[in-house]
Amino acid sequence: MTQDANDGSPAEQKKSNLLEQMRRVGESSGRNRAERLNRQSQPQQRQAIRFEDLPEYKRVATQRIAGEMLGVANPFYRSHDIAAGATTRIGGRDFVNFASYDYLGTNTDPHVASSAKEAIDRFGISASASRLVAGERPGHVELEQKLAGVYGVDAAVCFVSGYLTNVAAISCLMGPQDLVIHDEFIHNSALAGIKLSGAVRRLFKHNDVENLDSILKTLSSDFRRILVIVEGIYSMDGDVADLPALLELKARHGFWLMVDEAHALGILGKTGRGTFEHFGLDPRDVDIWMGTLSKTTSSCGGYIAGSSALVDILKAEAGGFVYSVGLSPVLAAAAIAALDVLQSGPERTERLRRNGHLFLECAKAAGLDTGLSVGHSVVPVIVGDSLRAAQLSNDLLAEGINVLPIIHPAVPEGMARLRFFITCDHTEEQIRHAVALTAAKLKSLQDRNFGLASLDMDKMMQLLPTIQTSSSRP
């Protein structure tokens, strides 16, 4: 004889009561929403905007048309056939490569590779869950302990993306009553985190501590929390934050200081520990160390290092950690092994330093504009015109050099550049040859006045509606 569902077990009754409670809450919320809508005038029926009509698409289409009119092939999304380091292979052809973050050559290091393979054999590919529920693995703890040790701080926490690290940490710690002040050249991920936080945003002139001081004197009393964000080595320009001056300012104004070490770990300091070692400073004086696992450690992900309290907050409150799958065990293992290589082989950092300085010295001697770079991991060659930068990249590719352009809107129009990433494995011959070719190819483009200035703008604007119409057809 079956029992009626309404007269079921205590567990069934409890479930029924819970569902009824949830329905009452939902109905109450629905009534309130309906009342608000009824009080508002009913809007006219609207049509969704086509993506082809968006200004964002028009910018993309304009760039494409401009390139087609000058015969400039798209230099982006070049697919590599092998692991890319100081050299690579694209379409079956070998190239000297200046487009890789593999600063210390850890991407193909045997210790890193064997550690990654062992992790796959033991844990598979994915953590398969958020670390809070079922995604925690021993490698996560070991990696975070190693990162905390590198920075000489209490703790660290890892995220599945470098971009997400800034977004999650900043939006977790800051809110609408707070102020974030950042260097004008800060990475886009920090800007996204600030926007998500709702905090008031101010910028200061690049590496200008006096300008930052003046902003703090004007605004600091009006906010609950204040965060200042800089990069150890700036990813677009290759210069170094004035950390001693920033810490002196921090002592006077009482803000949190966040330093993005994405391009500084493994590069700055005698043993590659980063910006604090470069200047001989106590790392505990910086509140938040941020970095990525995709450069020196040849993995993927990001981290925050600092006090135990900071890490506890992020592990409990940062949406990008709490609601995201844990870092893949194989990526954690690779990063751990790469940190082993960094700690046991400071000669790689020294080789990288020599190569960076050599590249900068040769580029300046060749008359190339290297902007603000001081010759570490990143050396830009500023070209000016976006189309000229793209064509210069293509011309160098034809000569066996792979280096990518940075163009508008990533940088202002007139500041387009080729961005050379230097590694410890580049040879002196490769560096000298690349610089000489860059100078010669750039001069040829300049002599021909190749670029935006040579475009027939009237013709390009006539073509734009044609491109948009054809792209919207089935």
Side-chain angles (χ1 to χ4, degrees):
M1 183 174 181
T2 59
Q3 189 176 32
D4 189 279
N6 292 327
D7 299 322
S9 67
E12 288 292 331
Q13 190 62 45
K14 183 176 180 181
K15 178 180 177 181
S16 177
N17 291 341
L18 177 61
L19 289 171
E20 183 61 31
Q21 182 180 357
M22 292 170 66
R23 290 188 190 101
R24 285 198 298 269
V25 172
E27 289 168 0
S28 175
S29 176
R31 285 194 298 271
N32 292 337
R33 189 182 305 111
E35 290 172 3
R36 288 196 303 271
L37 289 173
N38 290 333
R39 288 196 297 266
Q40 298 173 359
S41 59
Q42 293 300 314
Q44 296 181 350
Q45 186 175 2
R46 57 180 291 171
Q47 296 292 324
I49 301 172
R50 299 188 319 149
F51 291 114
E52 292 83 2
D53 295 329
L54 294 177
E56 294 88 342
Y57 174 75
K58 291 178 180 178
R59 285 197 297 268
V60 174
T62 300
Q63 287 181 339
R64 185 169 68 247
I65 294 168
E68 290 172 354
M69 289 179 66
L70 288 178
V72 179
N74 187 344
F76 305 109
Y77 301 105
R78 294 170 181 165
S79 182
H80 296 247
D81 302 336
I82 60 172
T87 59
T88 190
R89 186 175 301 137
I90 300 173
R93 182 184 172 194
D94 291 336
F95 293 86
V96 178
N97 186 38
F98 290 95
S100 169
Y101 298 149
D102 189 20
Y103 295 129
L104 300 188
T106 54
N107 191 35
T108 53
D109 184 273
H111 175 53
V112 176
S114 63
S115 297
K117 291 172 184 175
E118 289 172 9
I120 290 175
D121 290 341
R122 181 177 176 187
F123 298 107
I125 304 300
S126 174
S128 302
S130 166
R131 285 175 60 184
L132 270 70
V133 289
E136 185 82 349
R137 301 293 182 270
H140 295 137
V141 177
E142 183 181 355
L143 175 57
E144 289 167 350
Q145 289 175 341
K146 276 187 173 291
L147 287 165
V150 167
Y151 288 98
V153 294
D154 297 338
V157 55
C158 289
F159 297 79
V160 293
S161 155
Y163 194 98
L164 178 67
T165 301
N166 267 334
V167 171
I170 295 168
S171 63
C172 173
L173 296 171
M174 309 302 287
Q177 301 173 40
D178 304 325
L179 169 67
V180 181
I181 313 176
H182 62 85
D183 188 288
E184 62 179 318
F185 293 166
I186 205 68
H187 193 268
N188 179 270
S189 58
L191 298 179
I194 299 167
K195 182 177 181 180
L196 183 60
S197 75
V200 175
R201 180 174 72 90
R202 296 287 185 272
L203 59 84
F204 64 95
K205 295 177 183 177
H206 180 56
N207 243 347
D208 188 336
V209 178
E210 290 183 4
N211 184 234
L212 173 60
D213 188 23
S214 67
I215 294 172
L216 287 162
K217 287 177 180 176
T218 304
L219 299 171
S220 62
S221 62
D222 299 331
F223 298 93
R224 181 187 61 163
R225 302 170 184 171
I226 302 173
L227 175 66
V228 173
I229 310 176
V230 299
E231 294 181 31
I233 291 179
Y234 283 87
S235 59
M236 291 291 179
D237 294 275
D239 56 338
V240 179
D242 188 354
L243 189 55
L246 287 164
L247 289 178
E248 191 276 330
L249 206 60
K250 176 179 177 290
R252 288 194 280 117
H253 289 284
F255 54 79
W256 289 336
L257 178 60
M258 181 177 186
V259 182
D260 182 336
E261 292 282 276
H263 295 271
L265 178 66
I267 291 89
L268 292 181
K270 186 176 181 180
T271 62
R273 293 174 69 191
T275 310
F276 77 89
E277 187 182 36
H278 176 73
F279 288 109
L281 300 169
D282 186 345
R284 292 178 179 270
D285 289 338
V286 171
D287 302 281
I288 306 170
W289 291 106
M290 177 271 171
T292 58
L293 300 172
S294 56
K295 277 75 175 180
T296 287
T297 56
S298 293
S299 181
C300 191
Y303 61 86
I304 296 290
S307 69
S308 295
L310 167 67
V311 170
D312 284 348
I313 291 169
L314 295 177
K315 283 188 171 183
E317 302 284 344
F321 179 86
V322 174
Y323 300 106
S324 179
V325 68
L327 187 68
S328 170
V330 62
L331 295 176
I336 291 167
L339 289 174
D340 290 339
V341 172
L342 170 63
Q343 292 170 337
S344 64
E347 70 278 356
R348 298 193 190 203
T349 295
E350 178 56 33
R351 291 206 316 268
L352 172 58
R353 186 176 297 114
R354 288 198 304 268
N355 284 345
H357 291 166
L358 175 63
F359 191 102
L360 185 66
E361 176 188 313
C362 291
K364 288 184 173 180
L368 296 171
D369 183 357
T370 56
L372 303 173
S373 178
V374 292
H376 289 294
S377 49
V378 181
V379 182
V381 171
I382 298 177
V383 175
D385 184 294
S386 289
L387 284 178
R388 185 176 294 173
Q391 186 58 42
L392 179 57
S393 174
N394 290 337
D395 289 348
L396 289 172
L397 189 74
E399 298 290 341
I401 306 292
N402 185 50
V403 58
L404 273 292
I406 305 295
I407 62 175
H408 179 77
V411 293
E413 186 55 62
M415 292 298 291
R417 64 204 56 195
L418 298 191
R419 185 168 55 159
F420 288 82
F421 293 114
I422 316 301
T423 79
C424 67
D425 290 332
H426 281 116
T427 67
E428 180 176 343
E429 180 184 2
Q430 289 170 339
I431 290 171
R432 292 188 183 278
H433 179 60
V435 170
L437 268 178
T438 301
K441 295 297 181 181
L442 177 56
K443 185 177 186 306
S444 174
L445 293 170
Q446 291 169 335
D447 290 345
R448 292 156 47 198
N449 193 31
F450 185 97
L452 289 169
S454 63
L455 281 174
D456 184 338
M457 298 304 294
D458 290 336
K459 181 179 179 182
M460 188 171 74
M461 296 312 294
Q462 290 171 3
L463 287 172
L464 184 57
T466 305
I467 296 293
Q468 289 177 246
T469 301
S470 63
S471 66
S472 63
R473 291 173 183 160

